[in-house]
Amino acid sequence: MSEAVHTEKTEPRFASVLVPEAEDRFVGMSISKLTRRRLQNFKANRRGYWSLWIFLVLFGLSLPAEFIANDRPLLMSYNGSLYFPILKAYPETTFGGDFETEAEYRDAFVIEMIEKDGWIVWPLVPYRYDTVNYNSKEPAPARPSWDNLLGTDDQARDVVSRLIYGFRLSVVFALVLTLFSSVVGIAAGAVQGYFGGWVDLIFQRFIEIWAGLPTLFILIILSSVIYPTFWSLLLIMMCFSWMRLVGVVRAEFLRARNFDFVRAARALGVNDVTIMWRHVLPNAMVATLTFLPFVLVGAVTVLTSLDFLGFGMPPPSPSLGELLNQGKRNLQAPWLGLSGFFVLAILMSLLVFVGEAVRDAFDVRKTLSQTEGGES
C-alpha cells in the first residue's frame, strides 16, 4: 500500500521534468524570447499591425499589374485554339486580318473577327497605363463612367490603370532606394563611429559639405544632360539619400565601441571588420530599424515631388506625382487630383502607422516592462 502511494507522489514530479519547453517559432524559424516579445509589441499596436497587412495586400495586388490592367486579353480562343496575348504577341493575320503587325485587340474589327469563331477573356481593367481610349464619348479628360471608372487624364488614358501602375512604381522605387541608401549609410556611419578620431572628423566635414549641395538644382541640371530613367534617377537620388542613417549608426557605434565585449574581442586579436559586423552592428541595427519605415516614406515623397515638378520619371511613365500635376493643370477635372491625392495619402498613412508599430516593437521600456510582468 505504501509503495502505491509513493508511486503516485513521484510520477508527476518526474513527468514535469521530462516535458521539454515549447520552442518559440515564427514563420517556421526558431526565434529568441526577445524577438518574440518584440513581435508581441508590434502586434499590440493594432493600427500599425493591420496597416502592414493592408500595405502588403495592396502591394501584392499591384505587382502583377499587367494581369489586372492591360489592353491585351488574358486568354483567347479562336478556331478551337487557345492564345495568350498577354504573354505572347500574335500578328493580325493569325485571326484572319490583313496585317503582319501585332493585332490591335481593342480594335472593333479585330474583336469581331475573334468573337466570330471564339471568345475573349479581358483583364479586370482593359487598359494599360499608356493605352489611349479612342472610343471615349467625351473629350479628354473625360469624366468617370462605366468604361473608365475614375475617368481619363488629359491624354485620354485610364486613371485606374495609371493608379495601379503608379502605386507599384512608387513603392518599388522607394524600396530599392531605401535598401541601397541604407547599406551605404550604415557602412559610412559604422566606419565613423567605430574608428572615431580623424576618420570621424573628416567624414563629418564631408557630410556637411555634401548635405549643403542644392539637390533640386543638381537634378535639374542632370535632367537636361542625361535622359532620366528609373535607374539613372535612382542612382542620382541615392547620392543624396544615404546620409539619413549615418548619424544614428555613428552614435550607436561611438557608444558601443567602448563596451567590455568589444575590448575583449580586440584583446583576443579579432580584426576590426569582424568586430564591427558580428558584435557592434547587431546592437546598432535596433535603432536603425525604427527609422527605416520613415526613410521609405521620404523616398516615396521624393519621387512624387520630382514627378510633380516634371524632373522625375519620363513620360508616359505612370506616376502619382504626374497625376497630381495633371490635376493642378485641369481644375475642371477634379477626379485627377483627388484620385492621386487619396492613393498617395493612403500609402503614406499606412507606412507611417507601420513605422510607429516598429518603433513600439523596439522600445526598450515596453520590452523590459513586459519581461518584468512575465517574471512576476
Side-chain angles (χ1 to χ4, degrees), residues 68-71 122-128 147 149 158 160-161 164:
I68 299 175
N70 207 319
D71 55 0
W122 289 96
L124 187 63
V125 180
Y127 299 97
R128 226 167 72 105
D147 194 24
L149 295 179
D158 186 70
V160 174
S161 178
I164 296 174

Side-chain angles (χ1 to χ4, degrees), residues 83-95:
Y83 299 90
F84 300 89
I86 199 169
L87 302 176
K88 183 180 178 181
Y90 298 100
E92 187 179 303
T93 54
T94 306
F95 311 109

